[in-house]
Amino acid sequence: MDLSVPREHGPIGIRLIRQRDARVLQDHLMSNRAWLAPWEATSPDGPVSLDMRVGVRRLLQQYRDGGGVPFVMEYEGNVAGQLNVWGIARGSLASATIGYWVAKEFAGRDITPTSVALATDLCFTELRLHRMEICIRPENAASLRVVQKLGFRYEGLRRRYIHIDGDWRDHYAFALVREEVPHGVLARWVSGQAPRHAADVPEADRRG
């Protein structure tokens, strides 16, 4: 299994992050502060460094340790953002969580849903995971559209779940298990067969 080989669909692809990606990722993070800051993980212990050289080294160490798989998302060969598979659990759980960000100049081109579909399919087939989860702030309309398009199933409201933008934030949890997509997430979406209302949030949870 060679995760360094890009997985692609049309002009969009994901590949394992490389140390030399740090510079372009750093440039995206700095030029997209207003766009990304409301959705970025922070620390209750104080400011977190945005030095991507350090960040990429840590991500690759987690990959070597088996705890995650860090990807870059590309559009026509250009780095458009990051997608991280993290919290990989083996054994009887066999699950992981997906997180992502895309630079504003690449938004609106289906880069994120395509990349999430590619990554989920890879996790189900090559990594032999059973369940993939995505957790999203209720205010993040763009990210909610990703799970709606792909037919991720809504699983519930998690109160003050992750420290984001300086405070503990509520998140909606969405998931898929391998049996739900026997032919793949990407193929199901592209063929128009993703369930339209799987990601619908009940009124009680929308009210908070």
Side-chain angles (χ1 to χ4, degrees):
M1 179 177 60
D2 186 359
L3 297 186
S4 65
V5 176
R7 273 63 174 179
E8 298 174 334
H9 178 72
I12 299 164
I14 60 171
R15 62 165 173 79
L16 192 67
I17 201 169
R18 299 188 288 248
Q19 194 63 54
R20 64 176 177 267
D21 294 320
R23 182 172 181 177
V24 66
L25 291 170
Q26 181 89 26
D27 289 345
H28 280 324
L29 287 172
M30 298 311 295
S31 63
N32 284 267
R33 296 312 304 140
W35 169 257
L36 296 173
W39 323 116
E40 283 184 347
T42 47
S43 171
D45 299 322
V48 176
S49 171
L50 286 176
D51 186 341
M52 281 306 299
R53 292 171 300 176
V54 175
V56 171
R57 282 199 295 270
R58 288 174 177 166
L59 288 169
L60 288 172
Q61 186 59 55
Q62 290 173 7
Y63 171 61
R64 289 189 290 270
D65 293 342
V69 185
F71 295 103
V72 292
M73 300 188 290
E74 293 186 317
Y75 184 80
E76 295 181 341
N78 299 302
V79 173
Q82 273 185 273
L83 184 153
N84 292 321
V85 176
W86 59 276
I88 292 178
R90 293 294 183 178
S92 56
L93 193 55
S95 71
T97 299
I98 290 178
Y100 46 79
W101 62 264
V102 66
K104 187 174 183 179
E105 57 265 39
F106 289 98
R109 305 184 195 184
D110 275 341
I111 294 169
T112 305
T114 303
S115 298
V116 169
L118 287 166
T120 304
D121 287 344
L122 180 153
C123 288
F124 283 157
T125 56
E126 297 179 57
L127 297 186
R128 304 302 299 165
L129 296 177
H130 178 250
R131 179 181 180 276
M132 298 301 296
E133 178 176 280
I134 298 176
C135 294
I136 301 170
R137 285 188 61 182
E139 303 87 352
N140 194 342
S143 199
L144 290 171
R145 285 194 293 272
V146 171
V147 291
Q148 290 162 358
K149 287 179 179 181
L150 298 180
F152 271 69
R153 174 176 30 79
Y154 179 70
E155 288 201 332
L157 174 64
R158 296 186 175 178
R159 299 281 188 187
R160 298 179 65 78
Y161 178 54
I162 304 176
H163 203 272
I164 300 283
D165 192 26
D167 201 359
W168 296 102
R169 310 290 183 175
D170 292 350
H171 280 68
Y172 294 146
F174 304 87
L176 281 176
V177 295
R178 194 190 309 161
E179 293 87 348
E180 293 176 274
V181 282
H183 304 296
V185 181
L186 182 65
R188 187 178 72 164
W189 176 41
V190 169
S191 65
Q193 295 180 329
R196 299 181 62 182
H197 299 290
D200 287 358
V201 177
E203 181 63 30
D205 286 355
R206 289 200 300 271
R207 290 197 301 266

